[in-house]
Every structure is written in C-alpha cells, then in structure tokens.
Amino acid sequence: MSSSDNEINESASLSLGLFPEVVTLFVDVIVPLPLPNLLTYRVPAIMNDMIQVGARVIVQLGTRRILTAIVARVHQDPPKKYIAKPLLELLDEAPMVTTYQLELFRWVADYYMCHIGEVMNAALPSGLKINSESKLQYNPEFDVNTPLTETEGKLLEAVQEKNSLSTDEAARLLGQKDIYPIIKSLSKKGAVLVYEEVKEKYTPKIVKKIRLTRDYEDWEPLKDLIDELEDRKQYKQVGVLMKYLARVPVMQNRTANADGLEKSVLVKDDISESALKTLVKKNVFEEFEIIISRFADVPYSGDDVQLSDSQQLATEKIMSYFKTKDTVLLHGITGSGKTAVYINLIQKVLASGSQVLYLLPEIALTTQIVSRLRKVFGDQMGIYHSKFSDNERVEVWRGVLSGKFNFVIGVRSAIFLPFDNLGLIVVDEEHESSYKQYDPAPRYNARDLALVVARLQQAKVLMGSATPSFESFYNAKQGRYGYVKLTQRFREAQLPEISLVNIRIERKQKKLKHNFSDTLLTSLKDNLTKGEQSILFQNRRGYAPYVMCEDCGWIPHCHQCNVSLTYHQHTQEMRCHYCGFTEQMSHQCPVCGSTRIKTMGYGTEKIEDELKLLIPQARTARMDLDTTRQKNAIQNIVQAFEAGETDILIGTQMLSKGLDFDKVSFVGIFDADHIIHFPDFRAHERAFQLLTQVAGRAGRRNTQGRVLIQTGNPELFVIEKILQNDYEGLYEKEIPERQKFNYPPFTRLIRLIIKHEDEIMAEEAAQALANGLREKMGSRVLGPEPPLVNRIRNQFLKDILIKLEKDNINLRLIKEQIREEIQKILTTKQFKQASIVIDVDPM
Ligand SMILES: [Zn+2]
Ligand SMILES: [Zn+2]
C-alpha cells in the first residue's frame, strides 16, 4: 500500500467526521399488547446517539393510542409494508430492561405460547409504563427545592391541586400535544409518580418522631432542666424525659438523638401526651417526621443465624451438590428450619459478589419472614410484593439495576426483575400452586422459570419444601436435582400427633353438633382451658357453599356461570366465586314459594359463627380471601394471633403457607373429604401437601402439637399416609399411576380452553379443533370435554388436553402445529366469536 493511499483514506475519514452522514435508524419495539409482531418505528435523528436496546420509548399506535414500548432491536431497515412513525420520546439513557431479560421474555412467549407484549406487561411494574390512560400523582417525597422549568412548575401545580391528573388532561392544560418530555423530566426529578388508575395510589408510611432540641443535647442543660422540673413538682414532664433517655442513649452517643424516638413509644396515655406537648412548647423536644418503607420497622441488627448440626450438614451437602448440579431440592419437614439454611447460603453467595433472588408464595411474604431476613441483611434486601404500590415496585426494579439491591425477596413476578449477575435463586415452598399465573397470559410458573433464569445467568437454584411437588421429587430421584433431606425439627420439637375422627360414625350416633364432632369440640375446649391456641382449617370461604329450598330442592345458581352461589351472611348476599356476581339472599323460594331456605355445607364464616355458639368464651378470628382484601389485613390478623389476642384462628389454605405460630398446640381439620375428592390427577398429592402443611402449624418449640382430621373416609390410602407423615409412601403409590395414564412428570400437558357464548358453537369449535389436532398428533389429544364448571361469565367452556411425551419429541414443531390449528378455527367465519386460551403446564 502506498503512502498516498493512506493519505486518501485519512482525508476520507476526516471528512466523514466533519460532515457526518445522517443515518436513519429504526427500532423494533415490544408494546405491552397481545400482538404477534414487533412494531418498527423511526428514530428521530436527535436520538440517534442515545437510542439503545432495552431502553423505554413512547410510541403512538393508531391515531390516538400512546404507549410505552421497549426497544428490542436497533437497525437501518425501513419496514416494507408501512411507513414507520417516529418515536415520540426516549425515556431512558441506560437500558431499563437488560438483554438477558429480553432473552427471557422471548423464551417465555415461546414456551408458554403467548405474545411477547403480554410478557412485557406481566414483567414491568405499571409505574414504568406511561400510556394515554396513565395518571400523574404528586410525589409526597418530592424535595421542593428542586429547580423546575416554568412549564414543569405549571403542570406540577395542577397535579397537586387536583390530586391526580391524566396525561390527556395534562396535555389539554398545557395546550400542547407533546407532553411526554415534561412528564419524563418531572418524574426524573422525583416530582410526580405515574400510575394506572386501577391500582391503589402511593401513600408513604410516615412516622412521627421526637428528639431533644440542640439546646438540650448536652448533659448540663438537661440536668438543670430536670432539677428545675423536680423543684416545681412537674413529675410527669420528668417522667417523659427519663423515658426518652432510657431508650435513646444520648449521653453515651450524641448522634443517637438525631434519629430520635417514635412518638407513639413515648406517649402511651393522655397524661404523658400533655406533658410531652408542654416540653415541645418549651423547646426541649422537637417533633419531626420520617418516611419509612413498609417493612422497615425491624432494624438491621447484624444478626447471625446459628445453625443446628443437621442444618449445618444440610448446608454443606447443598454446597457440595452445587459443584456438579444446577438445582438442589431441600426436603425439610415442617419446622425443620429451612430458612436458616437459606440465610446461610444467601450470605455466602452475596459475599462472593453475586445477586440472590428469594421467591416465596404471595401469602407467605409477611412481616414474619421479612423481619427475620431484615435483621440479617438490612437495607441491601429489596422486597417485591404485589400488595405494594407501583412506586414501591419501581423502586425495587431501579434498585436492582443500580446495584442498590443485590438481594430481593419477592413473589412470582420478581422472577422478571433485571438481575444480571444472579448466583442463587431460592424457591421456597416450591410445591405451591400460586407460583403459577392463571390469568391473564403469560400463564407461567415462576418455579419453572427460575431454572431458565438460572441457566441464562449460570446461577444455582435451591428449591425447598416440606412436601415437594411430585415433579421435583421425581427429578431428584432421577438424579437431575441434588436432594437433601432435613428430618429433624428445629430445637428438638416433635412432629404433631395426627388422629382421625370418623364423622360418618359420629353422625349415626347423633354426636355431631353442626358437623362438629364431639372429639373436635372437646379438643378445642381443652386447649382453651389450658390457655393454648388452636387453628381450625376449612378450605371454603363464605358462609355456606350453597343454599337450597327444603321443599322443592331449588338451588340458586349464578346467571353467568354454571355454579351455585355461595351465601355470605356478613353481607347477606349470594356470591359467585367465579365471576363475582352477587345478589341479595332470597328468603323465599322463587319456584314453590316456600320460605324454608336452608344453608348447605360449611364455609369459614359459618364455622366461626357456630363456634361462637358452641364455645362462647373463645375469641375467634378468621383468615380467608374475604377478611384479607385490605392491604395490611393479613399482617393484622397474624399479629393479633401472635400476641395471643385470638384463641382460635379459623381459615382456608392461606393458613398453610409458610406462617409460623409459636403457641399453637392444636389444629383441627374440619372437612378433609372435599379436598381429597377433587377430580384432578393431582388431588391426592395436593391433599397430602395441604393437610400436612396445615398440620405442621401445630406444636413448635418444646411441645408436641396435636392434629385432628374429620373425615368420612378414614380408610383412604392418602389419609393413612398423612397420618404416618409418609410422603414417599404416597409418592411410590401414585407415581406408577401417573406413568400408566401419561401424566406429569412423565409427560408435558397443554390445555386448550375453547370459549363461546353459544353452547353448541363452543362444542362445534372444540370438536373441529380437536379433530384438526388429532390428525397431526393422534392419541395425544384428549377431549373436548366440559370442565368442572362449564360456563363462566356467560361463556361456555370446552377443554382439550394434549399429553406430550418428554423425550424424543419436537416440541417446537408441535407448538407450531397447535398455533396453526387454533388459527384455522379462529379464522373460520362461523367460529369468529370463539376465543381460545392456551395453558402450557396447567396446574
Ligand atoms: Zn322451593
Ligand atoms: Zn358467576
């Protein structure tokens, strides 16, 4: 190459630098909608340098719709079939979604047969998705000294004045169409919060605190003051001061005063309140407020967890398995202290510089577990909870991205957080069906996704349960997972003693009082006399599952679903548990006119009611979906029970999920039969899990608890195995059946649900779909059949079940065929009104 060539090249590149050719960039974006394709938009040249994969952008869809989208690809190819619209705004300078998350989104859409936009919707907290229906709220935590532009100030003022403002209203108010840059800026400055109307608004938890003013931080002036108060016999004020000094070590450490003391600690009655008021007036104390996170009540104490010998051994075994295996199943009986093992491992992983995710079922994520972990991990732990506001979830999302949280404890959707360096995922209570999202799509199972996430990031998965799912236990038996067992209860506690009462016999002997056996009532009464607490379990909420006319047998049904209505006495309503339809309780039969309407069966409400008559001296409380709708309701019920303010806690399966109560010595199971007789291939596995978990609430620390099961079928194998606490015995009996009838873990299931307003059309569409599928997949296709409840919300339902062998099958091809057949049905003119739900790995 000659030197002149070099010169030419140099000058060419120089001129490029001086007069850069403006390239037109395009982006393919994911919009949070069920659309099959990514949409392509043009990047305004001004954004060229900043646009990147994983950033959020604002796009217009159609003529009016405004949405937040995620950039999935940046390129220079204009779309062939339409003219790309420009992006309206770029929201992030750094990716909000990592490339590894995009990969996960694609995997989920593919595996669970849904659209990537649906995955985005499930993954991102709505606070990160501004759209034309978004609302703006004034951020109560905004620092008012932050400089704002004139327009920003104007908009913020309006938001403050009206409490909340939609983005459309904001646009009208400012008289400009393009308001997203302003919203973006205000949101970045912490002035406004963006939320969806359906969700609850963010209200920070504010604590009122008290501290000594500067003038009295030193001992001299303080001593003078106390002397003076004593001289004047103002002992109440002295009392308040002493109380403060006893709790805040001002003398030893002046900075302790800066944090002050919660006002509620200092004032317990009217007397001290007025004394405190006077001291504030005298400028001895000052009041101030702080905003705390909802779980921050428990301070970090650097607590270390002491492992018992068996826990230590289990930890070592798990570590050693992780050298060769990616997943370990920790099978620890109830009360064996699995959490201590988790904590120990989490500490090790965090110390090595990797991130940790700890998944828990929704209900188990209460203050109980959070306080325990807070003591150990302090502020580096983020909490991701569906009962939290959007803003709180956005904080955790950003905290993971920024490195503030290396450890997150959360529910199912936490699996979508933007980790990039996970070392360990703990899936606690891995058998829990609440890891599965039923509706809407993506119908994913967070436990199973944990394995995918771990594979993408070379992390390890630790699954834990006292009653593992048969799938996981099978994987352990096959050697795919490491398997570690904890068979000792912590601190020498014993497993509860379980016994049965045959209610068929007691009924014959006329010993039943409102379905309470004599044995059950005596046990509850005895426990009460001893001053001990009891749990009464019935997995049905409401008052009575149905009501019936005693004369003609009429049973009220939902108008929209094929189920009987549940009677709720508290509200005097009949309610459909499938669609929420309610009507007034009818006291007269519309068919025969009789007024003899009888409630049938037992819901938790009725049990509580009758318990009040049978044991009037017992203080009862109820924990079910109806009593826990409010944000802190579960905490309140749990705390009251822990504090001994409740003698008997009546509840549904919520009780079985990871709550520990120290003083419960008796658990009564009101009706085991309706759990066992559920028409599902997992019924026995579920019954074992549920009843063993509920039983496990009895007797911790030093005392052996007792469990009593009321059943009409004591001879059933599953009941026998529950009595013997013989998990493996049940597994060995059930697993050959699963194999024989091609059920998981030997196969993979895909359930298709065909819905149509017209019953005949539903049947025809389902038949046509099943026939089409059968042509390609043969006997793997079962149905169509009506499900247990075959009409919900005015839609008739038909089920098709596809059983796919696990090995030697082209899953991708099969799914493609399923999609094609569904497409055929949905594009057939006569089935236009039908809809089809795909549920991969239904539970
Ligand atoms: Zn009647
Ligand atoms: Zn209904």
Side-chain angles (χ1 to χ4, degrees), residues 477-489:
K477 285 234 156 190
Q478 295 290 305
R480 269 194 285 273
Y481 298 172
Y483 179 71
V484 177
K485 207 167 175 186
L486 265 177
T487 49
Q488 267 175 26
R489 275 199 151 188

Side-chain angles (χ1 to χ4, degrees), residues 3 37 43 85 118 126 132 146 238 247 297 312 328 331 367 402 475 596 633 694 709 792 800 819 821:
S3 68
N37 297 341
V43 180
K85 283 186 204 152
E118 292 171 310
S126 49
S132 32
T146 314
V238 176
R247 281 169 175 78
D297 336 36
Q312 181 65 40
V328 174
H331 186 176
T367 30
S402 71
N475 280 329
R596 301 205 307 154
V694 176
I709 301 178
I792 296 177
I800 293 174
R819 268 191 213 102
E821 289 304 317

Side-chain angles (χ1 to χ4, degrees), residues 265-386:
V265 176
L266 212 51
V267 286
K268 283 261 157 72
D269 47 60
D270 289 350
I271 305 165
S272 50
E273 175 125 39
S274 67
L276 178 65
K277 241 184 215 164
T278 315
L279 286 168
V280 170
K281 232 182 244 165
K282 284 182 184 165
N283 204 28
V284 177
F285 277 120
E286 61 183 5
E287 292 182 278
F288 66 107
E289 287 178 348
I290 57 157
I291 292 163
I292 58 161
S293 103
R294 261 155 239 288
F295 279 110
D297 336 36
V298 189
Y300 168 67
S301 60
D303 261 20
D304 223 7
V305 175
Q306 290 300 316
L307 297 185
S308 68
D309 287 349
S310 57
Q311 288 168 341
Q312 181 65 40
L313 198 65
T315 312
E316 281 161 19
K317 270 193 188 162
I318 293 167
M319 299 279 287
S320 131
Y321 267 128
F322 277 154
K323 285 181 192 146
T324 55
K325 295 196 189 299
D326 293 330
T327 310
V328 174
L329 174 63
L330 175 61
H331 186 176
I333 57 169
T334 55
S336 58
K338 290 185 289 292
T339 316
V341 176
Y342 301 150
I343 289 174
N344 195 275
L345 285 163
I346 292 167
Q347 282 174 320
K348 288 191 168 84
V349 176
L350 290 175
S352 77
S354 297
Q355 300 161 322
V356 177
L357 170 63
Y358 183 162
L359 291 174
L360 268 170
E362 182 87 29
I363 174 83
L365 190 45
T366 60
T367 30
Q368 280 193 334
I369 179 82
V370 170
S371 354
R372 184 150 177 218
L373 294 171
R374 247 284 135 73
K375 278 183 192 154
V376 182
F377 298 102
D379 287 342
Q380 64 173 322
M381 178 177 87
I383 305 158
Y384 204 68
H385 197 304
S386 67

Side-chain angles (χ1 to χ4, degrees), residues 14 52 55 102 127 145-146 265 267 344 388 421 467 472 495 513 612 668 708 712 758:
L14 206 64
Q52 54 184 316
L102 288 173
N145 298 317
T146 314
V265 176
V267 286
N344 195 275
F388 278 11
N421 176 30
T467 52
S472 297
L495 274 177
K513 277 185 192 148
K612 278 180 182 153
L708 183 72
D758 183 274

